[in-house]
Amino acid sequence: MNCDDIRKLLPAHLDGELDVVRDAEVVAHLDHCPACADLALAHAARRGLVQEKLPRHAAPPDLRASIVASLKNERRPESPKVIRLVFRQVLPLAAGLAIAATIGFEWGVRRTHRDVAVGEFVSAYVRAATTGHTMDVASSDQHTVKPWFRGRLDFSPTVPDLAADGFPLVGGRLDRIGDKPAAVLVYQRRKHVIDVFVSPAGAAAVPADTHRVGFNLLRWTQADQQYVAVSDLAASELADFARLFQAAAH
Amino acid sequence: MLPHLDAAYNLARWLMRNEHDARDCVQDAYLRAFQAYARFRGNDGKPWLLTIVRNVCYSRLRQSRGVEPAGVFDETIHGAVDDSAEQAERLRREAGIELLQRTMETLPEAMREVIVLHDLEQLSYKEIATVVGIPLGTVMSRLARARLRLQQEMLRQLNQEETAP
């Protein structure tokens, strides 16, 4: 694919809407094409601007009651049973959707600080992936990566070796979440990258388990440090990773 | 009892640009949704409901304006476009919510709705294609253009404010 083809796919790449094969092609291209990488960053910034700052209008509190009232007043051509049937079916449907559409509900009534924090982790992940600046120190050796952070941060992240479990360590970098520095451990699973952001406990309030268009995010705390794993990996695989990480770190 | 009420209201509020019309449209949409529910065979109610909300909103807009809101709209970006990451990133950091909101309301409905459906309501490209009734590829290009137009308009506003006496 040439630059024009890649540029057409950039929005879909950032929105997690590309299939694995084409997405890998885009990533490979961005690695060696600074012009397209810059454009990808511009796309990512615009996407971030809207997703972080554009307000979602919540329904006025009395709207619900007034709709329910108007539905009750509605004269039905069919038997009144229809209303009851509809309501009886809508209720379970709503419950099912509440689970299915966790994304929608996660974004919820209003932009909260949690949402902004989630956005920051995902942005950092995307920024690293699109600029190709995924690592400051490239090494699969935990004994190289861990000491590298010494002197650069006032805390020391745990760096377990998970290569045997199919999650090889590829390196680490320094990043920022909000105005706080974070250590990022970079692991790999097939073509997918997993960024583990380590910061002192309580640094950023994000939900323990969340999903945002194309990305999954898991948070846990161990040894007074907060770990947030971000990846485009399937949620179940990321959960496996987090479990192995915590077990190995003990 | 009323699933997706916030999503329905949010879409209507952004399309109608005022609370009064948004309320009317949502109310009307739920009425239609309940009447049409027997015919609904899908498995995800959110895109289905938002399609109805959108239709109600568009027919109101058409009535009040006498024109087709979804009709031909100018998708081109005027003037030389400085599409650098640096500029976009700066705007992202520094832009105020008020300016963003105001500029968003000046975009054509066709652009506004893809941003609302994707970035606020988290619909996938495929779901948006169904709701809006356009091909998948158009969803992607329109979304990208809408975000770019938003950025350009915000920058234009900022420049105007700076040069104003």
Side-chain angles (χ1 to χ4, degrees):
Chain A
M1 288 196 285
N2 60 27
C3 286
D4 278 348
D5 298 330
I6 296 290
R7 287 173 188 196
K8 283 197 193 93
L9 295 178
L10 286 178
H13 163 66
L14 292 164
D15 287 328
E17 291 266 357
L18 282 187
D19 59 89
V20 182
V21 177
R22 281 200 296 175
D23 205 62
E25 277 184 69
V26 172
V27 171
H29 180 91
L30 294 178
D31 261 352
H32 65 260
C33 178
C36 286
D38 193 72
L39 209 58
L41 276 183
H43 272 296
R46 280 194 285 278
R47 179 177 181 275
L49 168 72
V50 172
Q51 297 197 348
E52 286 156 22
K53 293 191 177 173
L54 192 67
R56 186 179 192 234
H57 296 287
D62 61 319
L63 181 57
R64 184 177 301 269
S66 95
I67 292 174
V68 170
S70 79
L71 287 172
K72 279 187 189 144
N73 291 339
E74 180 70 357
R75 297 291 276 325
R76 311 223 127 236
E78 302 89 346
S79 74
K81 267 187 208 155
V82 174
I83 298 185
R84 277 202 299 277
L85 188 72
V86 162
F87 274 60
R88 220 178 284 146
Q89 285 184 4
V90 165
L91 211 55
L93 174 80
L97 287 170
I99 300 157
T102 324
I103 311 165
F105 279 75
E106 188 59 58
W107 275 64
V109 189
R110 203 161 285 146
R111 290 315 156 88
T112 61
H113 290 299
R114 278 153 68 107
D115 275 334
V116 174
V118 169
E120 278 176 356
F121 282 106
V122 173
S123 305
Y125 177 93
V126 171
R127 197 161 57 229
T130 49
T131 52
H133 176 222
T134 44
M135 286 171 279
D136 292 324
V137 50
S139 171
S140 58
D141 182 2
Q142 60 191 123
H143 303 297
T144 305
V145 175
K146 188 177 163 73
W148 184 85
F149 286 110
R150 208 170 292 146
R152 292 180 165 87
L153 291 168
D154 53 6
F155 57 93
S156 176
T158 305
V159 188
D161 181 0
L162 303 172
D165 301 300
F167 295 98
L169 177 69
V170 287
R173 71 171 186 277
L174 285 179
D175 212 318
R176 298 189 78 79
I177 293 300
D179 54 354
K180 301 227 171 55
V184 185
L185 314 175
V186 185
Y187 288 84
Q188 211 165 18
R189 174 72 155 187
R190 297 185 304 274
K191 292 264 180 183
H192 299 272
V193 169
I194 305 167
D195 279 355
V196 182
F197 296 81
V198 191
S199 41
V206 292
D209 181 353
T210 182
H211 176 88
R212 182 163 294 185
V213 238
F215 301 100
N216 288 300
L217 208 126
L218 284 177
R219 173 184 57 78
W220 68 92
T221 307
Q222 59 189 68
D224 275 343
Q225 287 172 359
Q226 173 182 277
Y227 290 76
V228 177
V230 182
S231 181
D232 55 352
L233 209 56
S236 58
E237 277 194 289
L238 190 63
D240 286 344
F241 170 79
R243 197 168 34 72
L244 291 163
F245 189 105
Q246 290 175 70
H250 273 298
Chain B
M1 191 66 92
L2 300 177
H4 310 301
L5 180 60
D6 277 338
Y9 181 77
N10 184 44
L11 177 63
R13 178 67 178 71
W14 276 114
L15 283 175
M16 305 310 291
R17 293 185 290 196
N18 72 74
E19 184 186 330
H20 180 262
D21 288 341
R23 289 181 68 110
D24 278 1
C25 287
V26 170
Q27 185 131 1
D28 197 4
Y30 272 94
L31 217 59
R32 293 189 195 193
F34 276 79
Q35 283 162 352
Y37 187 75
R39 292 198 302 274
F40 173 53
R41 290 281 177 274
N43 49 18
D44 190 351
K46 187 171 173 181
W48 177 74
L49 180 69
L50 292 182
T51 308
I52 298 175
V53 171
R54 179 181 179 274
N55 289 343
V56 171
C57 289
Y58 270 68
S59 68
R60 292 266 169 130
L61 289 170
R62 214 174 288 135
Q63 274 168 19
S64 65
R65 245 183 254 172
V67 290
E68 177 67 48
V72 181
F73 64 94
D74 187 5
E75 277 202 355
T76 55
I77 312 284
H78 295 290
V81 175
D82 166 20
D83 190 15
S84 70
E86 193 196 340
Q87 176 170 261
E89 190 56 50
R90 184 158 18 95
L91 188 68
R92 171 206 188 154
R93 277 196 313 271
E94 294 169 7
I97 290 175
E98 196 270 332
L99 173 68
L100 173 62
Q101 187 158 357
R102 185 153 41 89
T103 313
M104 175 81 172
E105 292 193 342
T106 66
L107 291 191
E109 281 89 6
M111 285 185 161
R112 221 184 303 147
E113 69 187 358
V114 289
I115 291 181
V116 171
L117 292 172
H118 186 272
D119 293 330
L120 295 181
E121 295 309 332
Q122 307 288 294
L123 261 54
S124 67
Y125 287 6
K126 201 173 154 201
E127 288 169 329
I128 297 172
T130 318
V131 172
V132 181
I134 52 176
L136 204 63
T138 310
V139 174
M140 174 168 72
S141 57
R142 188 174 293 178
L143 184 60
R145 273 198 287 265
R147 288 174 183 156
L148 183 59
R149 170 84 85 96
L150 188 62
Q151 169 183 318
Q152 298 302 326
E153 291 294 319
M154 286 174 81
L155 289 170
R156 210 167 52 83
Q157 293 269 347
L158 283 173
N159 285 338
Q160 271 177 5
E161 282 165 23
E162 269 170 28
T163 52

